[in-house]
Amino acid sequence: MDFKDKLVQHYGFTERDWYETVSRYRPETQPARTLFLEKGKVATRLAYLRSGMMRSFFYDDKANEITTHFFKKGSVVISMKSFNDQVPSRENIIAIEDCEMDVITYDRMQELIREVPAWRQIGKDVDEAMYNSLMNRSIQLQTLTASERYELFIKKHPDILQRVALKHIASYLGIDIATLSRIRKSI
Amino acid sequence: MDFKDKLVQHYGFTERDWYETVSRYRPETQPARTLFLEKGKVATRLAYLRSGMMRSFFYDDKANEITTHFFKKGSVVISMKSFNDQVPSRENIIAIEDCEMDVITYDRMQELIREVPAWRQIGKDVDEAMYNSLMNRSIQLQTLTASERYELFIKKHPDILQRVALKHIASYLGIDIATLSRIRKSI
DNA sequence: TCATTTTTTTGACTTTTGTCAAACAACGCT
DNA sequence: AGCGTTGTTTGACAAAAGTCAAAAAAATGA
């Protein structure tokens, strides 16, 4: 099911709703290793990722990159707090691969919500999905050992494993890179 | 600043808005060691905690209680996913002490949002605050050692430490109770 | 109050995970 | 293709955290 069908089915979109929507999104590309969002700046854009992959991260006190999320095809790329409240972002979002996306700005999104009220609900649903996935992640960090976290990760995200540097997966899972290397050998 | 003042200041409440609000909340008590919300049931209530303390938890595969959150005086007691979507709760919420609270049901909240639209925004703000605090928690679990997590916890929540069983703090921090006991001795 | 249950601490031990440094492999750029 | 950079593995070791069982302490309810 493509995106339009989903909107029609789930949110009762009319042709006009769809038109108002697509006219406010525009296709953009994000080359690999370039920042989609930079720490300290206000997130003005939200993207629907059509292809490629991104990750969000921040720097800890020893200047290590701590990865907090991977965005893959079909997901919404957003720094929730920064975009929703229009405050400076605490995290960076960077393209891991060349990305194709459909982008909407904050201002256009506000317009769109006025024109097509269902978008308020969609925004809420996206936020909620992110909350739920963060909750799952948090519980995993709280209850699983390093190797359990890794095994669950490769089971749920075999595609990410192929395409992302192990050190980013290690930091995402809260495991030292050398330890992760040994866990991988032992499986 | 009390609750009413906050609503007036932040959300421009009128006297009428306030009246519509208070008439839908009602005071309730929750005795210590009784469930405010039981796993598997739909959360029909949201509470503003005036006094006492609660915690949310679930059971892991070995039937250990895993505490996910502490609610203290002044906070909103809610199982976000269950209340917002009216789906069965995955977690339990239990009173740790006798609690006094102001309670509103889901249906009354929907009414209230219709009567006083600012409540939609308040709901969003509460959700967002919970998202942010979950994000902080998740980052701590990802990046800090057991003793760092504990030291941060007692710095931020000295009040909880006094009033809650250590085993619940241990499970909240993802630390074995015996290990936590040793960490405490070493500080 | 007192007995019972629950919680916390402790000891001895094992397992898991991290640290540091070096070697090795892969990648990106010209 | 080749160089330099970045990422990964490995070894030797150290530190952190978990396990099991028993003792001690504290809380609960009759």
Side-chain angles (χ1 to χ4, degrees):
Chain A
M1 179 153 64
D2 81 351
F3 191 45
K4 183 182 174 184
D5 292 340
K6 217 189 236 164
L7 293 175
V8 172
Q9 299 259 328
H10 272 74
Y11 298 99
F13 267 46
T14 63
E15 279 300 324
R16 187 180 165 281
D17 290 341
W18 176 246
Y19 172 76
E20 293 291 347
T21 299
V22 289
S23 67
R24 284 179 177 82
Y25 276 86
R26 67 157 195 271
E28 282 188 40
T29 60
Q30 186 80 41
R33 290 174 295 288
T34 62
L35 287 173
F36 173 77
L37 171 64
E38 191 181 342
K39 181 193 161 174
K41 300 199 172 163
V42 174
T44 54
R45 304 184 295 167
L46 173 158
Y48 177 83
L49 198 55
R50 274 190 288 110
S51 74
M53 190 171 279
M54 301 200 199
R55 71 187 176 93
S56 57
F57 68 95
F58 65 91
Y59 293 98
D60 72 4
D61 43 333
K62 288 169 215 112
N64 302 310
E65 290 186 1
I66 306 294
T67 294
T68 51
H69 196 80
F70 293 106
F71 300 93
K72 48 186 174 179
K73 188 176 71 171
S75 64
V76 174
V77 182
I78 181 179
S79 174
M80 232 174 88
K81 190 179 166 65
S82 180
F83 187 82
N84 286 348
D85 298 356
Q86 293 290 285
V87 296
S89 173
R90 284 172 48 192
E91 63 194 353
N92 302 280
I93 300 180
I94 196 167
I96 294 175
E97 307 169 344
D98 292 338
C99 293
E100 298 177 301
M101 31 186 209
D102 293 312
V103 171
I104 187 169
T105 64
Y106 181 80
D107 294 338
R108 291 282 180 184
M109 180 58 92
Q110 300 314 308
E111 268 177 35
L112 186 50
I113 288 171
R114 281 194 295 276
E115 295 295 330
V116 186
W119 271 97
R120 186 184 300 282
Q121 187 59 40
I122 298 171
K124 229 186 122 189
D125 292 349
V126 168
D127 288 358
E128 207 165 272
M130 296 199 78
Y131 178 85
N132 292 149
S133 97
L134 184 59
M135 177 62 92
N136 288 334
R137 172 163 161 67
S138 174
I139 289 173
Q140 285 162 210
L141 289 165
Q142 186 184 354
T143 60
L144 303 183
T145 65
S147 24
E148 288 169 339
R149 297 201 295 279
Y150 177 69
E151 292 191 45
L152 193 58
F153 183 85
I154 56 176
K155 197 157 88 185
K156 288 180 66 176
H157 308 289
D159 48 335
I160 298 182
L161 180 61
Q162 305 306 320
R163 292 150 63 189
V164 169
L166 282 175
K167 63 171 189 170
H168 296 141
I169 295 173
S171 93
Y172 178 76
L173 296 174
I175 308 174
D176 186 275
I177 173 67
T179 300
L180 180 60
S181 181
R182 292 188 174 96
I183 287 171
R184 284 162 54 79
K185 206 170 49 161
S186 78
I187 296 182
Chain B
M1 180 155 61
D2 81 351
F3 191 45
K4 183 182 173 183
D5 292 339
K6 217 189 238 166
L7 293 176
V8 172
Q9 298 259 329
H10 272 72
Y11 299 100
F13 267 47
T14 62
E15 278 300 324
R16 186 180 167 281
D17 290 341
W18 176 245
Y19 172 76
E20 293 290 347
T21 299
V22 290
S23 68
R24 285 181 177 81
Y25 277 85
R26 68 158 194 270
E28 281 188 39
T29 59
Q30 187 79 44
R33 292 175 294 288
T34 63
L35 287 174
F36 172 77
L37 171 64
E38 191 181 343
K39 180 193 162 174
K41 300 198 172 164
V42 174
T44 54
R45 305 184 295 167
L46 173 157
Y48 176 83
L49 198 55
R50 274 190 288 109
S51 73
M53 188 170 281
M54 301 201 200
R55 72 186 175 92
S56 57
F57 68 96
F58 64 92
Y59 294 98
D60 71 4
D61 42 333
K62 288 168 216 111
N64 302 311
E65 290 186 2
I66 306 294
T67 294
T68 50
H69 195 80
F70 293 106
F71 300 93
K72 47 186 175 178
K73 188 176 71 172
S75 63
V76 174
V77 181
I78 182 180
S79 174
M80 233 175 87
K81 188 179 167 67
S82 181
F83 187 82
N84 287 348
D85 297 356
Q86 292 290 284
V87 296
S89 173
R90 285 172 48 190
E91 63 194 353
N92 302 281
I93 300 180
I94 197 168
I96 294 175
E97 307 169 343
D98 291 338
C99 293
E100 299 176 300
M101 36 188 204
D102 293 313
V103 171
I104 187 169
T105 64
Y106 181 80
D107 295 337
R108 290 283 181 184
M109 179 59 93
Q110 300 314 308
E111 270 177 35
L112 187 49
I113 288 170
R114 280 193 295 275
E115 295 295 331
V116 185
W119 270 98
R120 185 184 300 283
Q121 186 59 41
I122 297 171
K124 229 185 121 188
D125 291 350
V126 168
D127 288 358
E128 205 165 272
M130 295 199 80
Y131 178 84
N132 293 148
S133 97
L134 183 58
M135 178 61 93
N136 288 335
R137 172 164 161 66
S138 175
I139 288 174
Q140 286 164 23
L141 289 165
Q142 186 183 354
T143 60
L144 302 182
T145 65
S147 23
E148 288 168 337
R149 298 200 294 279
Y150 177 69
E151 292 190 45
L152 193 57
F153 182 85
I154 57 176
K155 198 157 88 184
K156 287 179 67 176
H157 309 289
D159 48 336
I160 298 182
L161 180 61
Q162 305 306 319
R163 293 151 63 191
V164 169
L166 282 176
K167 63 171 187 168
H168 296 141
I169 295 173
S171 94
Y172 178 75
L173 296 174
I175 308 174
D176 186 274
I177 174 67
T179 300
L180 180 60
S181 182
R182 294 190 173 96
I183 287 171
R184 284 161 56 77
K185 204 170 52 163
S186 78
I187 296 182

